[in-house]
Amino acid sequence: APHFPALDQHKPYDLAALKTYDLSSRPSKVFHDDLGQPVEAGASAEDWLLSLPKQLAANDIRRVTNHLCRAHRDGRTVAVALGGHVIKTGCAPYLIDWIKRGVIKAIAMNGSAAIHDFELAYAGKTSENVSTQLPKGEFGMARETADAFAVAAHNGAENDIGLGWALGRHLDEMDCPYDESSLVLAAYRAGIPCTVHVALGTDIVHMHPHVSGAAIGQSSLTDFRRLCSVVAGMAYGVWMNLGSAVIMPEVFVKAVSVANNFGHNLDGLVTVNLDKQAQYRSRVNVLERPSAEGIELIGHHEIMLPLLHLAVACQLAKRVPAETT
């Protein structure tokens, strides 16, 4: 075994031999100007945003805000892909507002997001108690939800308009009492693509015998091809993946492959993933493989999306300078 001489506890260090430097000359990662600043009660929204520390996730929110506003200003495409939890946590109104402002140019979602969106518009409520309903054989057996998707899938396949557009048109014709809460309907009325990407067997409507698997498959495939066209025009745009760990990251990377196969330029594409925890597919298929810059924001949708919406609203109103947002 190697021999290490015992430290002589009585012999002081030779301080003259110790190499030091001035603290002021040392490179550092945190500066006084980076510190957060508490605000008083009643402070304005922009005051609060400007008070955030210039560190880590706060800087990431500033970066995402700048990219969204830059894309909007330059006429680039901002597309948002989402899972059902985004709808269930009450965040659709923020995305609807971005559609109305012209920030979002395309919406893509999985089947569960479309179902929760429909139920909120039609009945003003969604998300049943699975633990209670499942033992009774009643989980997912809501009649109106299945009927709506049966009609939309048939029309989307028969008329080659896709599931998202057909569902939006069906909602528009139904004159739903809570139509202002529907993201699908907002996209339809704004005339922007809204695509629904279904994994057969994963959604409650698939349990109903009058919902055609052929129609759902065909109309959802039409939506995928429409999304490929959206992605093909996303050079210097922003793709946001909100709360989808598997379906939408996989759909996105295939759409990117199609765009690349046809020779479309995707230079400068910025991708953003916002979820309550980091996931493999969203990191690799959204942030790393397809993008020039990938930004991840980890946190609860019901907090992070309103905060991001506020930051974008303030910058679009020019109340918060871009370089500090």
Side-chain angles (χ1 to χ4, degrees):
H3 173 68
F4 296 100
L7 178 63
D8 187 347
Q9 301 291 339
H10 302 288
K11 184 177 180 180
Y13 286 106
D14 185 359
L15 296 180
L18 189 66
K19 297 179 181 179
T20 63
Y21 53 80
D22 291 337
L23 174 59
S24 60
S25 69
R26 188 196 66 193
S28 299
K29 296 185 292 184
V30 179
F31 297 86
H32 179 270
D33 290 345
D34 297 338
L35 304 182
Q37 300 297 324
V39 295
E40 298 295 331
S44 67
E46 55 267 33
D47 287 340
W48 183 77
L49 286 167
L50 289 170
S51 76
L52 294 176
K54 294 181 178 64
Q55 291 290 329
L56 302 175
N59 276 344
D60 288 339
I61 287 178
R62 294 182 177 97
R63 289 166 61 203
V64 174
T65 300
N66 285 337
H67 281 304
L68 290 172
C69 293
R70 183 261 312 157
H72 175 60
R73 181 185 66 245
D74 295 346
R76 302 292 182 173
T77 298
V78 173
V80 173
L82 64 145
H85 199 64
V86 177
I87 303 297
K88 292 202 299 180
T89 52
C91 291
Y94 303 102
L95 303 178
I96 291 170
D97 183 69
W98 276 347
I99 290 175
K100 292 177 179 179
R101 291 173 181 261
V103 175
I104 293 177
K105 301 295 178 60
I107 290 286
M109 62 181 68
N110 63 13
S112 71
I115 287 170
H116 292 305
D117 186 83
F118 167 80
E119 291 186 345
L120 280 170
Y122 179 82
K125 60 180 181 177
T126 190
S127 190
E128 58 192 301
N129 189 326
V130 181
S131 298
T132 301
Q133 296 287 83
L134 189 61
K136 298 187 294 183
E138 295 181 356
F139 168 58
M141 297 302 170
R143 184 170 48 254
E144 294 89 343
T145 306
D147 289 348
F149 278 79
V151 171
H154 174 78
N155 289 338
E158 185 76 15
N159 300 304
D160 197 31
I161 59 175
L163 182 55
W165 191 256
L167 183 59
R169 186 169 71 180
H170 186 54
L171 280 164
D172 197 39
E173 293 170 350
M174 291 179 72
D175 192 24
C176 295
Y178 304 96
D179 61 354
E180 78 285 349
S181 67
S182 171
L183 184 59
V184 173
L185 187 53
Y188 175 79
R189 288 176 175 173
I192 67 170
C194 176
T195 56
V196 181
H197 305 270
V198 175
L200 287 172
T202 64
D203 298 324
I204 59 172
V205 298
H206 304 161
M207 300 185 291
H208 295 254
H210 65 302
V211 178
S212 166
I216 286 181
Q218 184 59 54
S219 59
S220 189
L221 186 60
T222 297
D223 275 357
F224 171 71
R225 291 169 177 164
R226 178 166 290 119
L227 183 65
C228 289
S229 296
V230 171
V231 172
M234 289 200 66
Y236 299 98
V238 181
W239 175 274
M240 297 185 69
N241 182 69
L242 308 180
S244 179
V246 178
I247 297 295
M248 296 314 303
E250 290 294 343
V251 168
F252 176 58
V253 79
K254 275 73 171 185
V256 168
S257 183
V258 171
N260 288 334
N261 185 271
F262 278 91
H264 293 286
N265 174 21
L266 295 181
D267 290 349
L269 173 62
V270 175
T271 57
V272 179
N273 182 61
L274 196 162
D275 209 341
K276 59 184 179 180
Q277 60 189 27
Q279 301 282 356
Y280 168 78
R281 284 176 177 82
S282 53
R283 174 174 55 82
V284 174
N285 288 348
V286 176
L287 300 180
E288 294 179 3
R289 288 171 174 160
S291 67
E293 180 181 357
I295 307 170
E296 187 160 54
L297 297 173
I298 297 299
H300 294 286
H301 301 304
E302 62 272 24
I303 296 174
M304 299 298 288
L305 265 175
L307 175 57
L308 186 58
H309 178 273
L310 174 63
V312 169
C314 287
Q315 186 166 317
L316 289 179
K318 298 182 179 179
R319 292 198 296 263
V320 178
E323 62 270 18
T324 60
T325 303

